[in-house]
Amino acid sequence: MKNPKYRVAATAAVMLAVAAIFCWYYYTHDPLAGGAPRCIIRLITGHECPGCGSQRAFHSLLHGDIAAAWHYNPFVFFAVPAAMFYIIVENGREIWPRLHARAVHPIILTAILLAIMAWWIFR
């Protein structure tokens, strides 16, 4: 796509479609009932990764149980919006060059990595 505005719009449309499928799946399938993907890190090491509990958190969120979602994995409340932000900013780097430059500044990316590592360690 030559026009960056169309790329951002296409990215947003794909994100909405994926989010709709994701929401449908986790609304209709309870991860506690089985059949959901298992965490490889937890299977190998026995320790929870930063994403462990995310499936149960999404299922609880989609059923309106915010407290249970927070209990399963509070990091979801921060990681999902951040991931969506970075996908949009990366695809719109030609439209918003200053925002992109600030979002991918090494200090910001290092802070995000340290937050993920801290969550993993202190969990």
Side-chain angles (χ1 to χ4, degrees):
M1 285 181 216
K2 292 185 179 184
N3 190 337
K5 290 183 182 179
Y6 291 126
R7 185 175 57 225
V8 171
T11 300
V14 169
M15 284 175 54
L16 283 173
V18 169
I21 292 168
F22 187 80
C23 288
W24 169 80
Y25 179 80
Y26 281 108
Y27 187 80
T28 59
H29 297 87
D30 185 359
L32 292 174
R38 312 252 334 155
C39 177
I40 293 173
I41 293 174
R42 188 166 185 184
L43 287 173
I44 293 171
T45 67
H47 298 289
E48 291 186 341
C49 76
C52 279
S54 297
Q55 295 178 53
R56 292 170 288 171
F58 285 125
H59 181 77
S60 296
L61 272 176
L62 291 172
H63 285 84
D65 193 351
I66 296 171
W70 186 269
H71 169 74
Y72 288 130
N73 190 343
F75 200 63
V76 167
F77 290 89
F78 307 102
V80 172
M84 292 171 56
F85 169 78
Y86 272 96
I87 289 170
I88 291 171
V89 167
E90 186 60 35
N91 281 285
R93 66 183 171 266
E94 295 171 7
I95 300 169
W96 310 297
R98 290 177 57 208
L99 177 61
H100 180 268
R102 288 182 178 143
V104 298
H105 192 279
I107 293 174
I108 300 295
L109 296 179
T110 302
I112 292 170
L113 178 62
L114 290 174
I116 292 169
M117 290 172 59
W119 170 246
W120 197 346
I121 291 168
F122 294 115
R123 188 167 190 200

